[in-house]
Amino acid sequence: MASGLEIEDETENKGSMWVLEQKLDQPMDEEAGRLRNMYREKKFSALLLLRLAFQSLGVVYGDLGTSPLYVFYNTFPHGVRDPEDVIGALSLIIYSLTLIPLLKYVFIVCKANDNGQGGTFALYSLLCRHAKINTIPNQHRTDEELTTYSRNTFHEHSYAAKTKRWLEKYASRKHALLVLVLVGTCMVIGDGILTPAISVLSASGGIKVDHPKMSNDIVVLVAVVILIFLFSLQHYGTDKVGWLFAPIVLLWFILIGGIGIFNIRKYDSSVLRAFSPVYIVHYFRRGGRDAWTSLGGIMLSITGTEALFADLAHFPVSAIQLAFTVVVFPCLLLAYCGQAAYLVKHKDHVIDAFYHSIPDRIYWPVFLVATLAAIVASQATISATFSIIKQALALGCFPRVKVVHTSKKFLGQIYIPDINWILMILCIAVTAGFKNQSQIGNAYGTAVVIVMLATTLLMTLIMLLVWHCHWIVVVIFTGLSLIVECTYFSAVLFKVDQGGWVPLVIAAAFLLIMYFWHYGTLKRYEFEMHSKVSMAWILGLGPSLGLVRVPGIGLVYTELASGVPHIFSHFITNLPAIHSVVVFVCVKYLPVYTVPEEERFLVKRIGPKNFHMFRCVARYGYKDHKKDDEFENKLFDNLFMFVRLESMMEGCSDSDEYSLYGQQTERSKDSLLRDNNSAYCNFDPTISSVDSIVQVKSPLHGNNHSGVSSGQTSNQTEVNELEFLTNCRDAGVVHILGNTVVRASRDSKICKKIAVDYIYAFLRKICRENSVIFNVPHESLLNVGQIFYV
């Protein structure tokens, strides 16, 4: 009940310090307008747009472009019985490419970006800003005033408002939405394992085409060597070799398009009749269940479409659209038509149909470019996996792992060593375990279609909540998308026992890890929220906090964005001294892709001035780099700026703090706002005796000033307090972190005990320490141990 009152007070009471906060942490109107324009998509000149479209080929379209290597083999794993089946399969490929990548993703889904950021988490962050569905309630109203926290308003009786109320009504719906996002995330991680396996193995298969007597084990060995080489280069980052990607992929598209035209003219130009959807109907009538299950192979023609949306951050939407419509789409259609024309005349060459259809004179150059294109496609998917795991970290859904930023120019280019080697081991295991494209293709198709289904469901909510589309438009988009994707999904279900189980097992493992980590994090946050220290207790201790105040600054790290954490009371209960200045530091992520440097820090005073207690909230987006070597300097710069601005304002009482944390009646709150000094005494009658016994040692004036009384600091000037803070900083800064052990309470159910005491405890044991994440110097670190029973 108390926490409910606190939340209500937080939203209603606007003390003078909140006015100060807004002046300190929010830019001026003119400056804010300038900043907002920075995050809107700019208009580019025609020449620049062409250059960006060219560069996007190497980053975005590598995976989609290498699909012709293995589509027809996975569509007809047992051979082609009737040439008309090839025409029907080609027709399905043509309309799949048109409906999913072209219409759905390039022209609709790409518009649902978060200030240029794409992917599952970008959609989720948009929804979190338009509805209160974030499962960890550490948001504050000041967060909504960020430049990048853009959201639309809607009418109370609109479909958007009804959808918002429906989502917020029950916690189960919020958790269901989170699970949907996590499922999509886990399937993208599965893509990061399966894409290198099938792309590299398919490219390596060209060796056997030219040397038919070669053992398949040698092809697998070559693929494994390439994969080891690929994953070993990840720590260099794509920035150093990325300039090669676009020319390689462009050359690849030109080659497959040219080979397609050659094959159409040489073998059978009548395959172009596949552009008529009538042949799809004939295909299903003739093939029955076999035709239906072959959709799992045809599905591979649109793999890489999710990467198109996930890698959106590097390029504007217009460049992505230009590259796809001018280069990618026509070249892919020509490539598939050319292969179909070849297969009509050579039904027995369906295995490695792509390599069989290459003219002899250019066979080895095309093989070399195909291998390089497969490596580029794998690189893009691996990088996307790193990015999405970092976003899961920001959401509190993945154990803390080391994140290395490989480029100073592009924050999105990262490398995660632990995940890299896990992906490599799993990728090699899949390649060496299956040894053929067919079973890997079945697994790949399962992962891709589930990601697309998750995106469709999230897009439905985006269209209602964010875009405010009419319900008829939403029904048309959702209905058409689900019809196509559920059809593919039903087909891949037939192949679960033929390799389709692989992504399901991988996704289930990662989903359990992510969900249990998030569950433990949420329970720990809820415990800290309910056990936080009231301001009445803090004020009752007096300016000395009942301890000896030693020179220096103590930075107490907490996950709470409001209130004094339980770790502080635990600390001062067990130690006889505390630093002259105490700053509670909260590092939290917001559902935005970045927080501008000008708006990153929020600083606030806790209690009266002579307590020398502050709170600093450092806010980050899911693309920001939290481990900042200048973090401590920036924190103190903002602290000093706060003191300067505070001195310019009248009435520096922290009224909002008292309303938030004091367990007081409305009358006592009102009297507190009117007279702070008398209120301090009202909280605890022993406060005077405490102040008379314990003196606060302060380095304010060196040896001439041995202590500060409770009333003296209230008359300090701005210069004196800044000098006091500077001297305390020179005396030393200590980082105080909670080394907490989370346990399930005795009356918990067995499922909760297993989740908290074993799985979550194990994940906390193997993940990185908070001190490493926050870049805390070891010699300045102080760990405070405690046990949380949740």
Side-chain angles (χ1 to χ4, degrees):
M1 189 70 185
S3 66
L5 287 172
E6 291 167 7
I7 294 172
E8 184 180 352
D9 290 335
E10 183 177 352
T11 57
E12 293 180 359
N13 195 326
K14 294 186 178 180
S16 58
M17 293 301 290
W18 285 116
V19 179
L20 173 62
E21 232 177 54
Q22 291 170 359
K23 288 181 178 292
L24 170 64
D25 296 293
Q26 309 304 327
M28 295 288 190
D29 291 340
E30 183 180 350
E31 185 180 351
R34 197 159 51 243
L35 280 168
R36 284 189 177 90
N37 291 330
M38 288 171 55
Y39 300 100
R40 291 176 181 168
E41 185 170 331
K42 300 175 182 178
K43 292 184 178 180
F44 300 95
S45 64
L47 189 61
L48 179 58
L49 193 62
L50 285 173
R51 194 182 78 180
L52 291 170
F54 166 70
Q55 292 175 344
S56 71
L57 290 173
V59 177
V60 176
Y61 294 112
D63 190 6
L64 191 64
T66 53
S67 296
L69 286 170
Y70 44 78
V71 169
F72 275 109
Y73 172 50
N74 284 274
T75 304
F76 303 108
H78 305 297
V80 178
R81 290 177 296 184
D82 187 341
E84 288 297 311
D85 289 344
V86 177
I87 305 299
L90 177 60
S91 186
L92 279 167
I93 291 171
I94 291 170
Y95 283 98
S96 296
L97 283 170
T98 304
L99 291 174
I100 302 298
L102 181 65
L103 296 180
K104 178 185 174 183
Y105 275 87
V106 172
F107 287 105
I108 297 178
V109 176
C110 283
K111 293 292 185 181
N113 60 80
D114 183 14
N115 290 280
Q117 304 295 316
T120 310
F121 276 92
L123 297 178
Y124 186 66
S125 68
L126 279 173
L127 292 174
C128 285
R129 297 207 297 271
H130 288 80
K132 296 178 181 177
I133 56 175
N134 203 334
T135 51
I136 299 181
N138 63 345
Q139 312 303 315
H140 194 271
R141 62 176 176 271
T142 53
D143 299 336
E144 299 175 9
E145 298 171 9
L146 285 171
T147 304
T148 50
Y149 202 103
S150 57
R151 65 175 185 176
N152 303 321
T153 57
F154 39 77
H155 193 270
E156 186 179 354
H157 300 292
S158 63
Y159 291 110
K162 293 176 182 177
T163 306
K164 179 176 181 291
R165 287 193 294 269
W166 183 83
L167 278 175
E168 295 174 349
K169 188 172 183 180
Y170 297 108
S172 58
R173 292 171 184 170
K174 300 178 185 178
H175 286 287
L177 186 61
L178 176 65
V179 170
L180 177 66
V181 173
L182 294 183
V183 167
T185 302
C186 293
M187 288 300 170
V188 172
I189 296 173
D191 284 352
I193 297 166
L194 297 170
T195 298
I198 193 170
S199 299
V200 173
L201 185 61
S202 300
S204 303
I207 302 174
K208 193 175 179 181
V209 173
D210 195 62
H211 299 81
K213 295 182 180 180
M214 183 180 290
S215 171
N216 190 57
D217 292 338
I218 295 178
V219 175
V220 173
L221 181 61
V222 171
V224 169
V225 170
I226 294 174
L227 288 171
I228 293 173
F229 174 75
L230 172 65
F231 282 99
S232 299
L233 291 179
Q234 292 302 311
H235 69 279
Y236 290 110
T238 56
D239 189 36
K240 296 181 177 62
V241 292
W243 59 274
L244 281 172
F245 289 178
I248 289 172
V249 177
L250 178 61
L251 179 59
W252 168 251
F253 279 118
I254 292 172
L255 282 174
I256 64 174
I259 293 170
I261 295 173
F262 173 82
N263 288 330
I264 292 170
R265 294 184 62 183
K266 181 178 180 179
Y267 295 108
D268 190 356
S269 60
S270 67
V271 295
L272 297 178
R273 56 199 165 105
F275 280 88
S276 171
V278 173
Y279 291 93
I280 297 176
V281 179
H282 295 334
Y283 178 68
F284 285 120
R285 282 180 179 175
R286 189 170 47 252
R289 177 174 173 175
D290 290 339
W292 192 268
T293 55
S294 70
L295 288 173
I298 292 168
M299 172 81 196
L300 298 179
S301 64
I302 56 176
T303 56
T305 307
E306 252 328 292
L308 179 154
F309 181 47
D311 292 326
L312 193 65
H314 301 283
F315 306 98
V317 174
S318 53
I320 299 285
Q321 293 171 338
L322 180 65
F324 188 84
T325 53
V326 174
V327 178
V328 179
F329 187 63
C331 287
L332 285 176
L333 292 182
L334 288 172
Y336 287 117
C337 289
Q339 282 189 52
Y342 179 84
L343 285 175
V344 168
K345 301 298 183 182
H346 303 86
K347 294 189 295 183
D348 54 335
H349 285 177
V350 68
I351 299 177
D352 294 316
F354 173 78
Y355 283 113
H356 283 295
S357 67
I358 298 174
D360 293 337
R361 291 182 179 180
I362 61 170
Y363 181 84
W364 287 109
V366 173
F367 170 77
L368 178 62
V369 175
T371 305
L372 293 174
I375 292 174
V376 171
S378 304
Q379 173 65 54
T381 311
I382 294 166
S383 300
T385 305
F386 291 156
S387 297
I388 205 161
I389 286 177
K390 183 179 183 295
Q391 293 173 5
L393 276 168
L395 192 66
C397 294
F398 203 86
R400 295 184 297 269
V401 291
K402 183 179 182 180
V403 178
V404 179
H405 286 253
T406 58
S407 173
K408 293 182 179 179
K409 294 186 292 183
F410 305 104
L411 286 179
Q413 294 186 6
I414 61 173
Y415 167 66
I416 305 178
D418 301 333
I419 300 301
N420 182 65
W421 303 123
I422 291 173
L423 291 179
M424 186 188 78
I425 292 169
L426 292 174
C427 190
I428 291 173
V430 169
T431 306
F434 287 132
K435 296 184 180 180
N436 67 76
Q437 304 170 25
S438 179
Q439 288 184 315
I440 300 177
N442 294 339
Y444 197 15
T446 305
V448 169
V449 72
I450 292 176
V451 175
M452 289 183 176
L453 283 170
T455 302
T456 298
L457 295 176
L458 290 172
M459 276 299 301
T460 303
L461 294 175
I462 291 290
M463 294 178 79
L464 286 169
L465 271 176
V466 183
W467 290 354
H468 304 161
C469 296
H470 195 275
W471 67 271
I472 296 178
V473 177
V474 178
V475 168
I476 293 172
F477 171 82
T478 307
L480 289 176
S481 299
L482 289 180
I483 288 171
V484 176
E485 290 159 9
C486 287
T487 302
Y488 280 123
F489 184 63
S490 65
V492 299
L493 286 179
F494 285 106
K495 298 188 176 183
V496 169
D497 60 337
Q498 302 172 30
W501 57 269
V502 173
L504 299 178
V505 171
I506 294 171
F510 277 98
L511 181 62
L512 286 175
I513 291 171
M514 296 169 77
Y515 186 79
F516 282 124
W517 180 265
H518 181 77
Y519 178 79
T521 303
L522 179 61
K523 290 299 178 184
R524 193 179 70 209
Y525 184 84
E526 288 176 351
F527 179 87
E528 290 201 38
M529 280 291 291
H530 288 99
S531 62
K532 62 185 179 182
V533 182
S534 68
M535 274 306 298
W537 185 77
I538 294 291
L539 294 174
L541 296 175
S544 66
L545 301 178
L547 303 167
V548 175
R549 300 295 290 268
V550 297
I553 297 179
L555 300 181
V556 183
Y557 288 85
T558 174
E559 295 184 6
L560 294 180
S562 62
V564 178
H566 182 264
I567 182 180
F568 183 69
S569 63
H570 187 69
F571 177 82
I572 65 176
T573 303
N574 291 276
L575 288 176
I578 191 67
H579 300 88
S580 298
V581 176
V582 177
V583 182
F584 297 102
V585 181
C586 171
V587 179
K588 70 173 182 177
Y589 279 102
L590 300 178
V592 295
Y593 76 99
T594 186
V595 176
E597 287 286 345
E598 303 88 351
E599 305 172 69
R600 177 151 294 166
F601 291 92
L602 282 177
V603 181
K604 188 171 182 179
R605 188 185 294 278
I606 297 178
K609 283 188 175 183
N610 56 347
F611 277 55
H612 300 300
M613 296 174 66
F614 301 89
R615 175 184 300 107
C616 178
V617 179
R619 305 175 295 182
Y620 292 84
Y622 53 80
K623 282 285 184 182
D624 288 330
H625 186 193
K626 183 164 68 174
K627 187 176 178 181
D628 191 346
D629 295 335
E630 296 297 320
F631 177 81
E632 187 178 304
N633 292 332
K634 292 175 182 176
L635 187 151
F636 286 121
D637 288 343
N638 280 272
L639 180 61
F640 293 158
M641 178 63 71
F642 172 83
V643 172
R644 293 191 190 100
L645 290 180
E646 185 189 40
S647 65
M648 301 175 188
M649 299 192 63
E650 297 179 359
C652 294
S653 65
D654 196 355
S655 55
D656 199 21
E657 282 287 341
Y658 301 147
S659 67
L660 282 172
Y661 313 120
Q663 309 288 328
Q664 313 303 317
T665 62
E666 292 298 326
R667 182 177 298 178
S668 62
K669 289 179 188 176
D670 293 339
S671 63
L672 184 65
L673 293 173
R674 287 194 303 270
D675 187 356
N676 283 334
N677 291 329
S678 62
Y680 301 156
C681 298
N682 290 338
F683 282 116
D684 190 14
T686 62
I687 188 169
S688 301
S689 61
V690 172
D691 290 345
S692 62
I693 295 172
V694 183
Q695 296 294 316
V696 182
K697 296 182 180 179
S698 170
L700 181 59
H701 295 295
N703 297 328
N704 297 328
H705 202 89
S706 60
V708 181
S709 65
S710 60
Q712 186 175 353
T713 314
S714 59
N715 297 320
Q716 281 183 321
T717 62
E718 171 198 341
V719 176
N720 286 341
E721 186 161 16
L722 289 175
E723 183 183 354
F724 174 69
L725 291 173
T726 303
N727 290 335
C728 286
R729 184 182 181 184
D730 294 339
V733 178
V734 177
H735 301 258
I736 304 170
L737 287 117
N739 188 11
T740 57
V741 176
V742 181
R743 299 274 176 83
S745 55
R746 292 182 180 179
D747 57 345
S748 299
K749 296 180 180 179
I750 186 68
C751 295
K752 183 178 179 180
K753 289 184 178 179
I754 292 173
V756 175
D757 292 348
Y758 295 97
I759 300 177
Y760 181 70
F762 174 75
L763 293 174
R764 276 181 62 86
K765 190 176 294 184
I766 63 174
C767 74
R768 303 187 86 204
E769 295 290 336
N770 265 325
S771 57
V772 181
I773 298 295
F774 293 126
N775 201 28
V776 175
H778 188 71
E779 61 275 7
S780 303
L781 175 64
L782 180 61
N783 274 315
V784 181
Q786 56 183 340
I787 299 178
F788 288 170
Y789 288 98
V790 298

